[in-house]
Amino acid sequence: MFEKQPQNIRDTVKVLAEKSLAQSDPTGWFETLYSQANQDTGQVPWANLKIHPYLQDWLDKSSLNTQNKSTKSTKSTLVVGCGLGDDAEALQKLGLQVTAFDISPTAINWCKQRFPDSQVNYQVADLFNLPPEWNQAFDLVIEIRNIQALPLNVRTEAIELVASLVASKGKLVVITRFRNTDAEPEGPPWALSEKELAQFQEFGLKEMGSQRFTEGDSQEVTKLWIEYSRD
């Protein structure tokens, strides 16, 4: 998530996250980061201004159908923690009906400025206080690197809430860092373990496939996408 960014940006993120955690507000630092960036995308570590490559990899391998066979309508799609909107825009261009939310009002306003004619439904929302009507409402849910940005003491709740968004016969795609131990890592980001990823299945989803990637000069960073579905 941060390894290719200058050290000062990584340090800023760590300080903001630690301050937020000290105030028992694990998500509050996102708005601070976006507002302090002052429209400079170089100050947002995850702002690559294009579709995430692992999401593209999943799309290339999934043969995604944009129509819900049961309702004969366009598949409803939700992008969790959408940041500056590039993943949401790419999905909308495929013909999906996309809603994208972020806890940061600055990020959502930034999305609307970047894509003034967008058909994506951008909303400010909090993963820990989701609109009730979103419960099991989406045919496709995309979660990219948000859970890994949350500390372990809220991890299970975050996983349950993301899983709750997936409709019957719907899919969830999770893109995250992965760690090989259940020991608590240093962060942010806090990579997910096998035990944590297994919680998606405890909350009613079934793993359908995955792809792992290694990054870094010594191939020390493992990342992956996992596809889940709900019966």
Side-chain angles (χ1 to χ4, degrees), residues 62-69 73 75 94 96 140 171:
S62 69
S63 301
L64 179 66
N65 188 332
T66 61
Q67 297 298 306
N68 183 315
K69 295 180 181 178
S73 61
K75 279 188 176 178
L94 294 177
L96 296 163
L140 176 62
K171 294 183 178 182

Side-chain angles (χ1 to χ4, degrees), residues 13 20 42 44 57 68 104 138 140 143 145 170 176 204 206 218:
V13 168
S20 190
V44 181
D57 185 80
N68 183 315
S104 166
F138 296 93
L140 176 62
E143 150 49 27
R145 302 185 301 184
T176 184
K206 180 179 179 181
S218 59

Side-chain angles (χ1 to χ4, degrees), residues 102-121:
D102 202 284
I103 194 171
S104 166
T106 298
I108 293 300
N109 287 334
W110 203 339
C111 289
K112 293 177 179 179
Q113 292 172 26
R114 292 187 66 212
F115 308 106
D117 300 319
S118 176
Q119 296 181 46
V120 174
N121 176 21

Side-chain angles (χ1 to χ4, degrees), residues 60-183:
D60 292 342
K61 294 174 179 176
S62 69
S63 301
L64 179 66
N65 188 332
T66 61
Q67 297 298 306
N68 183 315
K69 295 180 181 178
S70 299
T71 63
K72 310 298 183 184
S73 61
T74 302
K75 279 188 176 178
S76 57
T77 301
L78 182 70
V79 179
V80 177
C82 65
L84 298 186
D86 295 280
D87 298 316
E89 293 296 321
L91 292 165
Q92 190 279 319
K93 288 177 182 177
L94 294 177
L96 296 163
Q97 181 181 328
V98 181
T99 297
F101 79 91
D102 202 284
I103 194 171
S104 166
T106 298
I108 293 300
N109 287 334
W110 203 339
C111 289
K112 293 177 179 179
Q113 292 172 26
R114 292 187 66 212
F115 308 106
D117 300 319
S118 176
Q119 296 181 46
V120 174
N121 176 21
Y122 287 109
Q123 295 193 31
V124 176
D126 181 353
L127 177 63
F128 295 100
N129 188 25
L130 294 168
E133 62 270 22
W134 285 6
N135 185 57
Q136 295 193 25
F138 296 93
D139 301 312
L140 176 62
V141 176
I142 305 295
E143 150 49 27
I144 301 178
R145 302 185 301 184
N146 292 287
I147 297 173
Q148 72 173 38
L150 299 171
L152 270 61
N153 64 343
V154 298
R155 183 67 48 90
T156 296
E157 182 181 5
I159 290 170
E160 182 178 13
L161 289 165
V162 170
S164 76
L165 297 163
V166 184
S168 176
K169 309 300 180 184
K171 294 183 178 182
L172 165 66
V173 177
V174 175
I175 294 172
T176 184
R177 282 187 174 212
F178 173 78
R179 71 182 196 274
N180 290 307
T181 173
D182 289 325

